[in-house]
Amino acid sequence: MGNTDDVRSALIVGAGIAGLTAASALAGRGWLVEVAEVSTEGATVGWGLSLTGPSLRALDQLGLADQCLTAGYGMHMITNTDAHGAVTPVALPCLLGEDRPAMAGIARGELHRILHTAALRLGVRIRYGLSVSRLAQQAGQVHAELTDGTTRTVDLLVGADGIRSTVRNLTGCTAPVDYHGQMVWRALVPRPDWATGIHTYASTGHQTGLVPISATQAYVFLTENGVRPDVLPDSELAERMAELLASFAGRVAEFRPLVARSGSVVRRPVQTVIVDAPWSHGSSVVIGDAAHAPSPQMISGAALAIEDGLILAEELDRQQDVPKALESFTDRRWERCSVLVKTSVAISRLEQEQRHRDSHQLIDACHRQMAQPT
């Protein structure tokens, strides 16, 4: 895979949200794009996620927002209930107009299907079971050796391969993966009729909540405080999560039996990464969680990843010099992404200090800041 006449070529490592968005944005501007994904085709991690206003705004530029709203569940409100029963509603900014939802919950598999289909329609080639093992800069291009022994010489190499990015290490954009003393549980459940927005609940020990992802489904999350990042047998997860929910009353008690019966429960550590600028080396760059992975409290990791793909393509469209375009990309993204990661860490700390009112106010303020143009 290389440059043909005046067509520029890109190899993207990672077929997640950032990688597929970047693939479509570049291919739509005439790039020849190949994506290498280490997992098997159709594999997704987790049950659902939230597409906040900035996510939908960016997806709208790709012509995909309405597909996501149809496949998911549109919402306008986050309703926070603290440990004393006080309710704090947060109305999210409507960035696509008042006639469309402010945000949407969606199954990860549905979002992947939409992004994957869009990339293929634009001519992107996606190969599974494959990653990169070695990189070298050669005469303004990137020479990549893949894990199957084949090689590619491209004008652009994009590392969109997640929080433990191989590309990040190969390009020298090193950053620690920080653990913040919390484990997040998620269980797929039927959506209760009353759940028309995100609901969160705090207790003296943990935080929980429910996020609709379709007309019939939702996921329950539980943030477990003050624990080590150990691994539990899958067979024990539903029962253990239901036990942790026993300290909550009210509507949590209503959906707790749904969790106990769920056959789809995952448990993950709350971790963050922020790579110091620059995020590029020559004609290679890292985006998405490889560059800036926030904790889940701000439900904005997808927004940053989707914005990255679009803005990367915009900067490469504005100037032909790839290294300079990548520097401009970092300049546009650094402050916004680093602020969100740092805010998410602050929220994690406030939760563990049982300062839920402060955390709710900080979440509201950060969502309003994220609503500003990119």
Side-chain angles (χ1 to χ4, degrees):
M1 179 180 181
N3 192 301
T4 303
D5 297 328
D6 59 348
V7 177
R8 296 193 287 178
S9 58
L11 174 64
I12 298 175
V13 183
I17 297 172
L20 290 176
T21 303
S24 289
L26 290 168
R29 289 167 168 80
W31 284 70
L32 181 65
V33 181
E34 181 178 12
V35 178
E37 167 57 44
V38 70
S39 66
T40 58
E41 186 171 359
T44 57
V45 178
W47 309 126
L49 53 81
S50 297
L51 297 174
T52 57
S55 305
L56 295 175
R57 178 174 58 195
L59 287 165
D60 207 34
Q61 294 182 51
L62 288 172
L64 301 177
D66 286 326
Q67 290 185 49
C68 292
L69 289 170
T70 299
Y73 192 91
M75 298 175 282
H76 292 274
M77 189 75 66
I78 300 175
T79 303
N80 302 305
T81 303
D82 69 16
H84 306 291
V87 176
T88 306
V90 175
L92 295 167
C94 293
L95 304 186
L96 299 186
E98 296 299 325
D99 60 333
R100 295 158 90 186
M103 66 175 297
I106 191 170
R108 281 187 176 270
E110 284 296 301
L111 178 61
H112 180 81
R113 176 187 61 80
I114 291 167
L115 296 177
H116 182 267
T117 301
L120 293 180
R121 186 173 60 246
L122 289 165
V124 174
R125 183 185 180 191
I126 305 174
R127 300 188 61 198
Y128 289 90
L130 195 62
S131 187
V132 63
S133 57
R134 186 174 301 175
L135 297 175
Q137 302 287 324
Q138 292 184 347
Q141 293 184 305
V142 182
H143 181 77
E145 182 176 322
L146 304 185
T147 50
D148 65 352
T150 61
T151 60
R152 307 286 189 277
T153 300
V154 292
D155 299 303
L156 171 69
L157 187 288
V158 179
D161 50 343
I163 192 169
R164 298 193 180 277
S165 169
T166 297
V167 173
R168 186 175 68 224
N169 293 331
L170 290 174
T171 57
C173 298
T174 57
V177 177
D178 294 322
Y179 174 65
H180 297 285
Q182 295 176 310
M183 298 292 288
V184 171
W185 302 65
R186 290 185 178 90
L188 189 66
V189 301
R191 183 184 69 85
D193 291 340
W194 52 264
T196 57
I198 295 178
H199 291 261
T200 77
Y201 306 88
S203 76
T204 55
H206 312 299
Q207 298 78 234
T208 189
L210 187 141
V211 182
I213 59 173
S214 75
T216 59
Q217 290 185 315
Y219 73 84
V220 174
F221 70 86
L222 171 76
T223 308
E224 184 183 11
N225 292 319
V227 289
R228 293 183 299 176
D230 56 351
V231 177
L232 299 176
D234 289 347
S235 61
E236 297 180 8
L237 292 180
E239 181 180 355
R240 290 285 296 276
M241 184 176 179
E243 289 174 358
L244 290 169
L245 291 171
S247 62
F248 294 86
R251 280 187 158 158
V252 179
E254 294 180 29
F255 60 71
R256 180 174 170 245
L258 301 178
V259 171
R261 295 193 297 269
S262 176
S264 302
V265 181
V266 294
R267 179 177 181 262
R268 299 285 185 269
V270 172
Q271 298 174 319
T272 62
V273 162
I274 183 67
V275 178
D276 289 334
W279 294 343
S280 61
H281 173 68
S283 296
S284 301
V285 66
V286 290
I287 68 172
D289 280 356
H292 47 72
S295 72
Q297 282 88 341
M298 274 304 303
I299 56 173
S300 294
L304 294 186
I306 296 165
E307 288 178 347
D308 274 359
L310 283 174
I311 293 172
L312 176 64
E314 288 176 7
E315 290 302 319
L316 288 161
D317 212 27
R318 286 197 323 125
Q319 50 185 314
Q320 290 290 309
D321 187 295
V322 172
K324 288 183 179 179
L326 299 184
E327 291 174 5
S328 297
F329 164 74
T330 304
D331 289 342
R332 283 185 65 182
R333 299 300 289 157
W334 162 251
E335 182 176 0
R336 181 177 179 85
C337 297
S338 61
V339 164
L340 191 131
V341 172
K342 292 173 183 177
T343 300
S344 75
V345 172
I347 293 166
S348 172
R349 184 169 57 251
L350 289 171
E351 287 179 344
Q352 293 179 80
E353 294 172 356
Q354 306 298 311
R355 294 168 59 189
H356 301 299
R357 187 179 298 273
D358 291 338
S359 72
H360 296 159
Q361 291 174 349
L362 187 54
I363 289 170
D364 186 16
C366 192
H367 277 302
R368 298 191 181 283
Q369 184 176 356
M370 285 286 292
Q372 299 302 311
T374 59

